[in-house]
């Protein structure tokens, strides 16, 4: 009985990020248990979820109720500990053999505590690894919060997304207790210690106080979603269901996901880059960049420009993020090998036709000059020149300050963030130098940068090292073959 009382405490008088239907279902099961009924519903069977590895892909299940620790509410509904999931995430991020982290999500949400922190960790991991999430069923409230932190978001055909918001319940048992001749008295040392107890009706003062807490937590939820998606809070409120769940086609139209696809098909795409181990009896593989594509990379190339201009009474931002054929500064692998990079014309053509690219200040998603989907920015490839953009800055102080710096000439260059798609790069040698040529990539954002740099070259370095290792393997095989032929000729000569 004490264990059930603890479950009651979890679902009453505490703010939750969970579907209302799930909250009601758990409450009814607990009530039935308290009444001595034997309840054993499949929806509430206990289940333990574990991460898996499929080649270079780390598969992390985000299933069932979410709570900071494995608790008694999970015992009645199954679920995932946010602390445990966070550790799985950290392990995958730190593992150099992992190229992609794949979150398979399905759950009604859960507790507030621990959820915003986990969602933020997923969002921050995007700068280190490719983070992909799929909604494999209902992905609601707290589960959607974490799902939204991924860089790429997908949904299965029968999936649903949303139920954004915070919910809290109070049950008044005062009349039921009175009908049974029971009267409960609370003796406290402070005025609000017994506030909102279930032995008396909820007061207007307590209702207002709790409503304030729920509103504040709901605002945090919406603000984080806005940051993760690169949109405004008003857009989240208008497009993401206002507490309702959206079916796959509705979620896609609202911009909550990028594509409708099955888990199996998406997994096949994510593992397509994995190659079997090289064996002596197999033919030489083609020389190419072997590490899995997908982690986000950020670059600055010389030859770009950024300027402010007045057009028809409004200020516009113009820039060229990279000129096709321009060469990066030298990059160096840990072994000391040097290579250069080049963005080929057409590398972003497919992405620009379908992706919602943003123009951001200093790569900061909080400071968006404009975005393609909102009609406040345009990003395109200018044939024979480079990747260009224009944006109409918002009426905000940070934008006015940024444009003033650009007009003064304090900011003269751009950076852009992208990820190379499978098979979207190649290595080649020119006059003794090694070049990585990016031919097909997804573009995330472009924009002015005060101090252009190469903050993340991990993927490029790994690709170069893989290419050099492949070259060494090919050279070693050629050497071994030549040596065997030389020995064979020598043996024939000895035999006369």
């Amino acid at each position: 009985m004490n264990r059930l009382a603890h479950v009651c405490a979890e679902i009453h008088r505490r703010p939750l990020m969970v579907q209302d239907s799930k909250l009601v279902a758990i409450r009814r099961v607990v009530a039935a248990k308290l009444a001595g009924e034997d309840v054993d519903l499949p929806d509430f069977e206990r289940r333990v979820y574990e991460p898996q590895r499929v080649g270079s892909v780390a598969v992390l299940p985000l299933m069932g109720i979410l709570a900071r620790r494995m608790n008694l509410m999970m015992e009645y509904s199954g679920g995932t500990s946010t602390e445990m999931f966070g550790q799985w995430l950290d392990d995958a991020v730190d593992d150099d053999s992992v190229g992609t982290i794949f979150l398979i999500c399905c759950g009604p949400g859960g507790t507030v505590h621990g959820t915003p922190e986990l969602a933020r960790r997923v969002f921050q991991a995007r700068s280190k690894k490719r983070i992909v999430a799929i909604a494999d069923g209902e992905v609601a409230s707290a589960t959607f919060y974490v799902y939204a932190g991924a860089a790429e978001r997908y949904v299965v055909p029968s999936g649903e997304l949303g139920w954004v918001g915070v919910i809290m319940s109070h049950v008044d048992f005062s009349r039921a207790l009175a009908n049974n001749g029971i009267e409960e008295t609370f003796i406290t040392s402070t005025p609000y210690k017994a506030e909102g107890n279930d032995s008396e009706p909820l007061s207007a003062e307590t209702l207002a106080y709790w409503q304030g807490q729920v509103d504040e937590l709901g605002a945090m939820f919406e603000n984080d979603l806005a940051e993760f998606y690169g949109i405004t809070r008003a857009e989240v409120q208008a497009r993401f269901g206002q507490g309702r769940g959206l079916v796959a086609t509705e979620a896609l139209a609202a911009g909550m996901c990028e594509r409708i696809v099955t888990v199996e098909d998406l997994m096949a795409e994510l593992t397509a880059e994995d190659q079997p181990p090289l064996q002596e009896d197999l033919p030489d593989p083609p020389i190419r960049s072997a590490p899995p594509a997908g982690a986000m990379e950020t670059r600055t190339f010389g030859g770009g420009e950024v300027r402010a201009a007045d057009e028809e009474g409004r200020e516009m931002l113009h820039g060229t993020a990279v000129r096709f054929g321009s060469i990066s500064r030298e990059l160096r692998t840990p072994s000391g090998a040097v290579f250069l990079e080049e963005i080929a014309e057409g590398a972003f053509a497919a992405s620009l036709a379908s992706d919602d690219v943003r123009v951001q200040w200093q790569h900061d998603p909080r400071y968006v000059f404009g975005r393609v989907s909102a009609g406040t920015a345009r990003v395109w490839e200018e044939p024979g020149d480079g990747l260009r953009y224009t944006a109409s800055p918002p009426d905000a102080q940070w934008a006015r300050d940024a444009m003033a710096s650009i007009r003064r000439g304090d900011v003269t260059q751009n950076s852009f963030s992208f990820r190379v798609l499978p098979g979207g790069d190649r290595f080649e040698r020119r006059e003794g130098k090694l070049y990585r040529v990016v031919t097909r990539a997804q573009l995330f954002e472009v924009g002015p940068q005060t101090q252009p740099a190469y903050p993340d070259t991990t993927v490029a370095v790994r690709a170069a090292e893989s290419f050099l290792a492949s070259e060494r393997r090919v050279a070693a095989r050629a050497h071994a073959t030549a040596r065997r032929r030389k020995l064979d000729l020598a043996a024939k000569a000895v035999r006369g």
Side-chain angles (χ1 to χ4, degrees), residues 377-395:
R378 178 176 173 237
V379 185
W380 74 99
E381 287 193 352
E382 184 67 25
D385 183 17
L387 179 66
R388 292 187 183 180
Y389 68 87
T390 62
S392 175
D395 183 16

Side-chain angles (χ1 to χ4, degrees), residues 9 60 69 82 214 283 285 332 410 451:
L60 308 186
R69 299 177 181 87
T82 55
V214 167
R332 191 175 298 273
D410 298 332
Q451 294 180 317

Side-chain angles (χ1 to χ4, degrees), residues 29 37 75 87 153 231 234 240 244 279 292 331 373 381 390 419 483:
V29 168
E37 298 177 19
E75 194 169 320
Q87 187 59 57
R153 312 172 190 94
I231 59 178
F240 285 14
R244 292 175 175 172
Q279 299 177 19
L331 302 176
S373 65
E381 287 193 352
T390 62
R419 70 176 181 88
R483 187 170 181 272

Side-chain angles (χ1 to χ4, degrees), residues 48 100 136 159 171 174 188 229 275 284 339 348 351 399 411 440 448 480:
V48 178
T100 299
D136 187 21
V171 177
S174 58
T188 68
Y229 278 91
Q275 299 293 329
D284 289 333
F339 67 101
F348 301 116
S351 178
V411 181
R440 193 162 63 93

